[in-house]
Amino acid sequence: MEIQEFGTVRLFPLGLSRDAREYSCQRLNQILADTQILYNLYKKHHWLMRGPTFYQLHLLLDKHAGEQLELVDKMAERIQTLGGVAVADPRHVAEITVIPRPPNGCEEVPAMLSRLVEAHETILVAAHDAAARAQEMGDDGTNDLLVSEVIRTGELQTWFLIEHLVDTPLVEGRKA
Ligand SMILES: [Fe+2]
């Protein structure tokens, strides 16, 4: 028996309209679902990594996974703070996410890294738009979480990933 349905908000005296809280919860739940998938993609690629840069990437992807997991917790708790219900069950997450499902097996290293970069960009585009709309509706707390945490972390992690997608002098030297 559910005592609060997903997609609804309780009446919380936060100085924010019900509309603003409902809107923020809906946008945050989408980004939360996508971030949970990004976290799981990071763990998958942390485990399945291979090749000459295995150790470095194995460690880097796990660090990023840990940071994404912290964002998952912060967004879920923001939704609860606004009186909403956070998406949590992985089967529910799978229904909501817009991040494409990877193959069950192992891809080439650049494909794994590109997949992460693309997932980051999907989240960044949504977070920029949601942050601007949340601010228009007076929800400064959600705007701050999205800008200071989700966007800044996503941008930084993307930088670290794309540097690994550029051919290294070692690889170039071997080709020549
Ligand atoms: Fe590990």
Side-chain angles (χ1 to χ4, degrees), residues 123-124 127-128 131 145-156:
I123 291 169
L124 284 168
H128 277 293
L145 173 62
L146 290 170
V147 174
S148 306
E149 311 265 1
V150 177
I151 291 173
R152 283 183 185 276
T153 304
E155 287 173 342
L156 192 72

Side-chain angles (χ1 to χ4, degrees), residues 30-116:
Q30 179 64 54
I31 298 168
L32 173 58
D34 294 335
T35 303
Q36 288 183 70
I37 294 297
L38 176 61
Y39 163 75
N40 282 285
L41 277 179
Y42 265 121
K43 290 305 277 196
K44 173 180 167 79
H45 296 153
H46 159 70
W47 297 324
L48 271 54
M49 192 45 62
R50 53 180 70 186
T53 54
F54 164 78
Y55 188 57
Q56 181 181 345
L57 282 169
H58 177 70
L59 296 182
L60 179 71
L61 300 192
D62 205 33
K63 177 175 181 284
H64 285 193
E67 291 165 0
Q68 288 300 323
L69 195 55
E70 284 178 29
L71 294 179
V72 164
D73 199 51
K74 284 179 180 170
M75 279 189 276
E77 290 178 1
R78 178 71 195 162
I79 291 163
Q80 297 305 131
T81 300
L82 292 169
V85 178
V87 58
D89 188 280
R91 290 153 293 190
H92 188 195
V93 169
E95 286 171 10
I96 290 177
T97 188
V98 295
I99 309 283
R101 180 175 174 161
N104 291 337
C106 185
E107 296 175 286
E108 296 277 359
V109 175
M112 289 195 271
L113 296 177
S114 298
R115 186 176 286 287
L116 291 167

